[in-house]
Coordinates of all heavy atoms in Angstrom, one line a residue:
L11 N 97.6 110.4 111.2 CA 98.7 109.8 110.4 C 99.7 110.8 110.1 O 100.7 110.4 109.4 CB 98.0 109.4 109.1 CG 97.7 107.9 108.8 CD1 97.0 107.7 107.5 CD2 98.9 107.0 108.9
S12 N 99.6 112.0 110.5 CA 100.5 113.1 110.1 C 101.8 113.0 110.9 O 101.9 113.9 111.9 CB 99.9 114.4 110.1 OG 98.9 114.5 109.1
F13 N 102.7 112.1 110.7 CA 104.0 112.1 111.3 C 105.0 111.5 110.3 O 104.5 110.8 109.3 CB 104.0 111.2 112.6 CG 103.4 109.8 112.4 CD1 104.3 108.8 112.1 CD2 102.1 109.6 112.6 CE1 103.8 107.5 112.0 CE2 101.6 108.3 112.4 CZ 102.5 107.2 112.1
V14 N 106.2 111.8 110.4 CA 107.2 111.2 109.5 C 107.2 109.7 109.5 O 107.3 109.1 110.6 CB 108.6 111.8 109.8 CG1 109.7 111.1 108.9 CG2 108.6 113.3 109.6
R15 N 107.0 109.1 108.3 CA 106.9 107.6 108.3 C 107.6 107.2 107.0 O 107.0 106.8 106.0 CB 105.4 107.2 108.2 CG 104.6 108.2 107.3 CD 103.0 108.1 107.5 NE 102.3 108.7 106.5 CZ 102.2 110.0 106.4 NH1 102.6 110.8 107.3 NH2 101.5 110.5 105.3
V16 N 108.9 107.3 107.1 CA 109.8 107.0 106.0 C 109.8 105.5 105.6 O 109.7 104.6 106.5 CB 111.2 107.4 106.3 CG1 112.2 107.1 105.2 CG2 111.2 108.9 106.6
A17 N 109.9 105.1 104.4 CA 109.9 103.8 103.9 C 110.9 102.9 104.7 O 112.0 103.3 104.9 CB 110.2 103.7 102.4
G18 N 110.4 101.8 105.2 CA 111.2 100.8 105.9 C 111.5 101.1 107.3 O 112.2 100.3 108.0
S19 N 110.9 102.2 107.8 CA 111.2 102.6 109.2 C 110.1 102.0 110.1 O 109.0 101.5 109.7 CB 111.2 104.1 109.3 OG 109.9 104.6 109.1
E21 N 108.4 103.9 112.0 CA 107.2 104.8 111.9 C 106.3 104.4 110.7 O 105.1 104.5 110.8 CB 107.7 106.2 111.7 CG 108.3 106.8 112.9 CD 109.8 106.3 113.2 OE1 110.4 105.8 112.2 OE2 110.2 106.4 114.3
E22 N 106.9 103.9 109.6 CA 106.0 103.4 108.5 C 105.2 102.3 108.9 O 104.0 102.1 108.7 CB 106.9 103.1 107.3 CG 106.1 102.7 106.1 CD 106.8 102.0 105.0 OE1 107.6 101.0 105.3 OE2 106.6 102.3 103.9
K23 N 105.8 101.4 109.7 CA 105.1 100.2 110.3 C 104.0 100.6 111.3 O 102.9 100.1 111.2 CB 106.1 99.3 111.0 CG 105.5 98.0 111.6 CD 106.4 97.1 112.3 CE 105.8 95.8 112.8 NZ 106.8 95.0 113.5
A25 N 102.4 103.4 111.0 CA 101.3 103.9 110.2 C 100.4 102.8 109.6 O 99.2 102.9 109.5 CB 101.9 104.8 109.1
I53 N 113.3 96.6 100.6 CA 113.6 97.8 99.8 C 115.1 98.1 99.9 O 115.8 97.9 100.9 CB 112.8 99.0 100.3 CG1 113.2 99.3 101.7 CG2 111.3 98.8 100.2 CD1 112.5 100.6 102.2
Y148 N 117.0 116.4 102.7 CA 116.8 115.1 103.3 C 117.5 114.1 102.3 O 117.6 114.3 101.2 CB 115.4 114.7 103.6 CG 114.5 114.6 102.3 CD1 114.3 113.5 101.6 CD2 113.7 115.8 101.9 CE1 113.6 113.4 100.5 CE2 112.9 115.7 100.8 CZ 112.8 114.5 100.1 OH 111.9 114.5 99.0
P149 N 117.9 112.9 103.0 CA 118.6 111.9 102.1 C 117.7 111.4 101.0 O 116.5 111.1 101.2 CB 118.9 110.8 103.1 CG 118.9 111.5 104.4 CD 117.9 112.5 104.3
S196 N 109.5 96.7 104.1 CA 108.4 97.6 104.0 C 107.2 96.7 103.8 O 107.3 95.5 103.6 CB 108.6 98.6 102.9 OG 107.5 99.5 102.8
H218 N 99.3 105.6 98.7 CA 100.4 105.3 99.5 C 100.4 106.0 100.8 O 99.7 107.0 101.0 CB 101.8 105.7 98.7 CG 102.1 107.1 98.8 ND1 102.8 107.8 99.7 CD2 101.8 108.2 97.8 CE1 103.0 109.1 99.5 NE2 102.4 109.3 98.3
Y219 N 101.0 105.4 101.8 CA 100.9 105.9 103.1 C 102.2 106.2 103.8 O 102.3 106.8 104.9 CB 100.2 104.9 104.1 CG 101.0 103.7 104.4 CD1 101.8 103.5 105.5 CD2 100.9 102.5 103.5 CE1 102.6 102.4 105.7 CE2 101.6 101.4 103.8 CZ 102.4 101.3 104.9 OH 103.2 100.2 105.1
D220 N 103.3 106.1 103.1 CA 104.6 106.5 103.6 C 104.8 108.0 103.3 O 104.1 108.6 102.6 CB 105.8 105.7 102.9 CG 105.8 105.9 101.5 OD1 104.8 105.8 100.7 OD2 107.0 106.1 100.9
S221 N 105.9 108.6 103.8 CA 106.2 110.0 103.6 C 107.7 110.2 103.4 O 108.5 109.3 103.6 CB 105.8 110.9 104.8 OG 106.7 110.7 105.9
V222 N 108.1 111.4 103.0 CA 109.5 111.8 103.0 C 109.9 112.2 104.4 O 109.0 112.3 105.3 CB 109.8 112.9 102.0 CG1 109.4 112.5 100.6 CG2 109.0 114.2 102.5
P223 N 111.2 112.4 104.7 CA 111.6 112.6 106.0 C 111.4 114.1 106.5 O 111.8 114.4 107.7 CB 113.1 112.3 106.0 CG 113.3 111.5 104.8 CD 112.4 112.0 103.8
V224 N 110.8 114.9 105.8 CA 110.6 116.3 106.2 C 109.0 116.6 106.1 O 108.4 116.0 105.4 CB 111.3 117.4 105.4 CG1 112.8 117.2 105.7 CG2 111.0 117.3 104.0
G225 N 108.6 117.5 107.0 CA 107.2 117.8 107.1 C 106.6 116.6 107.8 O 107.2 115.8 108.4
T226 N 105.2 116.5 107.7 CA 104.5 115.4 108.4 C 103.7 114.6 107.3 O 103.0 113.7 107.7 CB 103.5 115.9 109.4 OG1 102.5 116.7 108.7 CG2 104.3 116.7 110.4
G227 N 103.9 114.9 106.0 CA 103.2 114.1 105.0 C 101.7 114.1 105.2 O 101.0 113.2 104.8
A228 N 101.1 115.2 105.7 CA 99.7 115.4 105.9 C 99.0 115.3 104.6 O 98.0 114.5 104.4 CB 99.4 116.6 106.7
W229 N 99.5 116.2 103.6 CA 98.8 116.2 102.3 C 99.3 115.1 101.5 O 98.5 114.5 100.8 CB 99.2 117.6 101.7 CG 98.6 117.9 100.4 CD1 97.5 117.4 99.8 CD2 99.2 118.8 99.4 NE1 97.4 117.9 98.5 CE2 98.4 118.7 98.3 CE3 100.3 119.6 99.3 CZ2 98.6 119.5 97.1 CZ3 100.6 120.4 98.3 CH2 99.8 120.4 97.1
D230 N 100.5 114.8 101.5 CA 101.2 113.7 100.7 C 101.7 112.7 101.6 O 102.9 112.8 102.0 CB 102.3 114.4 99.9 CG 103.0 113.4 98.9 OD1 102.4 112.3 98.7 OD2 104.1 113.6 98.4
N231 N 101.0 111.6 102.0 CA 99.7 111.4 101.4 C 98.8 110.8 102.4 O 98.1 109.8 102.2 CB 99.9 110.4 100.2 CG 98.6 110.1 99.5 OD1 97.8 111.0 99.3 ND2 98.4 108.9 99.0
A232 N 98.8 111.4 103.6 CA 97.9 110.9 104.7 C 96.4 111.1 104.1 O 95.5 110.3 104.4 CB 98.1 111.7 106.0
A235 N 95.5 108.2 101.9 CA 95.4 107.0 102.6 C 94.0 107.0 103.4 O 93.3 106.0 103.5 CB 96.5 106.8 103.6
C259 N 99.9 101.5 99.8 CA 101.2 101.1 99.3 C 102.3 101.7 100.3 O 102.2 102.9 100.6 CB 101.4 101.5 97.9 SG 100.4 100.9 96.7
G260 N 103.2 100.9 100.6 CA 104.4 101.4 101.3 C 105.5 101.8 100.3 O 105.4 101.4 99.1
S261 N 106.4 102.7 100.8 CA 107.6 103.0 100.0 C 107.4 103.6 98.6 O 108.2 103.4 97.7 CB 108.5 101.7 99.9 OG 108.8 101.2 101.1
E262 N 106.2 104.3 98.5 CA 106.1 105.0 97.2 C 107.1 106.1 97.0 O 107.6 106.3 95.9 CB 104.6 105.7 97.2 CG 104.2 106.2 95.9 CD 104.4 107.8 95.8 OE1 105.0 108.3 96.7 OE2 104.1 108.3 94.8
E263 N 107.5 106.7 98.1 CA 108.4 107.9 97.9 C 109.9 107.5 97.5 O 110.6 108.3 97.1 CB 108.5 108.7 99.2 CG 107.2 109.3 99.7 CD 106.7 110.5 98.8 OE1 107.3 110.7 97.8 OE2 105.6 111.1 99.1
L264 N 110.1 106.2 97.6 CA 111.4 105.7 97.1 C 111.3 105.2 95.7 O 112.3 104.7 95.2 CB 111.9 104.5 98.0 CG 112.4 104.9 99.4 CD1 112.9 103.6 100.1 CD2 113.4 106.0 99.4
G265 N 110.2 105.5 95.0 CA 110.1 105.1 93.6 C 109.0 104.0 93.3 O 109.3 103.1 92.6
D290 N 96.3 110.3 95.4 CA 97.6 110.9 95.9 C 97.4 112.4 96.1 O 97.4 113.1 95.2 CB 98.7 110.5 94.9 CG 100.0 110.6 95.5 OD1 100.2 111.2 96.6 OD2 101.0 110.2 94.9
I357 N 104.7 119.9 98.6 CA 105.0 118.5 99.1 C 106.5 118.4 99.2 O 107.3 119.2 98.6 CB 104.4 117.5 98.2 CG1 105.0 117.5 96.8 CG2 102.9 117.5 98.2 CD1 104.6 116.3 95.9
H358 N 106.9 117.4 99.9 CA 108.3 117.1 100.1 C 109.1 118.2 100.7 O 110.3 118.3 100.5 CB 109.0 116.6 98.7 CG 108.3 115.5 98.1 ND1 108.6 115.0 96.9 CD2 107.3 114.6 98.6 CE1 107.9 114.0 96.5 NE2 107.1 113.7 97.6
T359 N 108.5 119.0 101.5 CA 109.1 120.1 102.2 C 108.6 120.1 103.6 O 107.7 119.4 104.1 CB 108.8 121.5 101.6 OG1 107.5 121.8 101.8 CG2 109.1 121.4 100.1
D362 N 104.6 120.7 104.3 CA 103.5 119.8 104.1 C 102.9 119.4 105.4 O 103.2 118.4 106.1 CB 104.0 118.5 103.5 CG 102.8 117.5 103.1 OD1 101.7 117.8 103.5 OD2 103.1 116.5 102.4

Side-chain angles (χ1 to χ4, degrees):
L11 260 179
S12 293
F13 55 89
V14 173
R15 45 198 191 278
V16 177
S19 68
E21 290 76 20
E22 187 195 43
K23 184 178 180 182
I53 61 174
Y148 62 88
S196 182
H218 76 90
Y219 68 93
D220 63 312
S221 77
V222 299
V224 295
T226 62
W229 180 27
D230 183 18
N231 185 37
C259 299
S261 302
E262 187 265 2
E263 298 291 4
L264 286 186
D290 200 344
I357 62 170
H358 302 172
T359 72
D362 184 354

